[in-house]
Amino acid sequence: MAGIQQSISTSTFLGHNKLRFRNQNVSMPGKSSGIVRCVATPSTEKTSYKTQVSRNENLAKLQAGYLFPEIGRRRSAHMLKHPDAKIISLGIGDTTEPIPEFITSAMAQRAHELSTLKGYSGYGAEQGEKQLRASIASTYYGNVGLEEEEIFVSDGAKSDISRLQVLFGSNVTIAVQDPSYPAYVDSSVIMGQTGQFQKDVEKYGNIAYMRCTPENGFFPDLSSVPRTDIIFFCSPNNPTGAAASREQLTKLVQFAKDNGSIIVYDSAYAMYICDDSPKSIFEIPGAKEVAIEVSSFSKYAGFTGVRLGWTAIPKALLYSDGFPVAKDFNRIVCTSFNGASNIAQAGGLACLSPNGFKAMMDVVGYYKENTEIIMDTFKSLGYKVYGGKNAPYVWVHFPGRSSWEVFSEILEKTHVVTTPGSGFGPGGEGFVRVSAFGHRENVVEACRRFKELYK
């Protein structure tokens, strides 16, 4: 049957172009061949519009997500897998107990006053209300002589860390405790102060990681630390819970002076200190010439959602050209911030009254009792436990094991959320941080589950 022909209509995709074969004459094998006509037609697939703005290359350096949202993601996935499980969160350091009524009453009154002509106020001073600045200075720094003009009220220590990074710019070098609060490193990466992430050592280039271990009392060997412009230091430390002694902080201040560095001292947990460890870096002679201190009401008054903190910058702190650091920070604040909420500041003022301060100490005492329960639990199971005494965090060592592996094991088998130590830096590998921020019954129940798992 010579000359048998077949009419074919078909299509195929090559890249983004669709080739459609229309009314083609195609010969059977061994027979006469016909002509194939190919017509290219545009794809119906839509491509997203793209601007011509390049992505900030520094953000591309960041590894995965920020630690705590990643923990939240894993918790959510676990809840989907186990919808009937009672999840207990001892991971992210978020407070759980109600703000003392004496403090919320002051905020409620301020909020109500805003509905009156006499009590209404709009924009306030970017640096904070004068009365609150004076109260912070007298309450926390009265023994070291800081004045209200050296206090900048903010919406929290974390926000101020990023503002300080803008102040310092991209050309500075930094040192951080290892392990330490992730915001120091991540904000440095975003600012362009670091090199690329080095996966073999789990570190970013151009950052000096000051290793803090049980062997060195969680205080770095400063003789092995290179000179950097900025030194981030948190005491009591998050995550290890270790509070630096007066002798150790004296060494740190002298180290900064010898190197012409600035210390950014995070004292967000100072009210948890119950021994003679300094509650402020400014208790150390000479610190005003080399240090900035950031702090917050979050973990004292339960202000994690209210948002109120402060940064103390002494007038004596000068750049290499003699210009006051505080003046530049004031410029940053006035440019990027319209001041903390006036309602939150009313709460802060109430916190620092005699009744409010006592109420804060009661809240701190509650969490410290939780800490003792957690510490006693892991000690009874034979684990090495650190922190706890001067901080709301318990740092538990699981030798020879991956932090994320232990985190996953605890979550899967006990439905308790903790925090993997390696999320705070390579020095945290093999540890898990257990937070004391929780309702008492939840802490007790979590510890019962820990005993069941590791008995």
Side-chain angles (χ1 to χ4, degrees), residues 231-236 244 249 252 263-267 273 278-282 291-295:
I231 302 169
F232 284 97
F233 198 93
C234 179
S235 180
L249 290 181
L252 180 65
I263 301 166
V264 176
Y265 189 82
D266 188 340
S267 65
I273 293 175
K279 292 181 172 64
S280 168
I281 189 67
F282 299 122
I292 293 169
E293 185 164 301
V294 296
S295 198

Side-chain angles (χ1 to χ4, degrees), residues 203-218:
K203 296 178 180 180
Y204 286 95
N206 209 36
I207 291 182
Y209 289 79
M210 305 184 295
R211 184 60 67 96
C212 298
T213 67
E215 291 72 28
N216 63 19
F218 296 103

Side-chain angles (χ1 to χ4, degrees), residues 262-279:
I262 294 176
I263 301 166
V264 176
Y265 189 82
D266 188 340
S267 65
Y269 303 96
M271 284 181 67
Y272 286 82
I273 293 175
C274 59
D275 58 20
D276 61 354
S277 301
K279 292 181 172 64

Side-chain angles (χ1 to χ4, degrees), residues 158-172 174 183-184 186-193 230 232 264 292 319 325 328-337:
K158 186 176 184 180
S159 300
D160 273 348
I161 288 166
S162 289
R163 292 186 189 106
L164 287 169
Q165 292 283 33
V166 173
L167 173 77
F168 299 137
S170 59
N171 294 325
V172 297
I174 75 158
Y184 312 140
D186 283 11
S187 60
S188 297
V189 174
I190 292 170
M191 280 300 300
Q193 299 167 357
I230 310 299
F232 284 97
V264 176
I292 293 169
Y319 288 115
V325 174
D328 271 356
F329 189 69
N330 185 67
R331 186 68 173 85
I332 295 292
V333 168
C334 290
T335 299
S336 64
F337 188 50

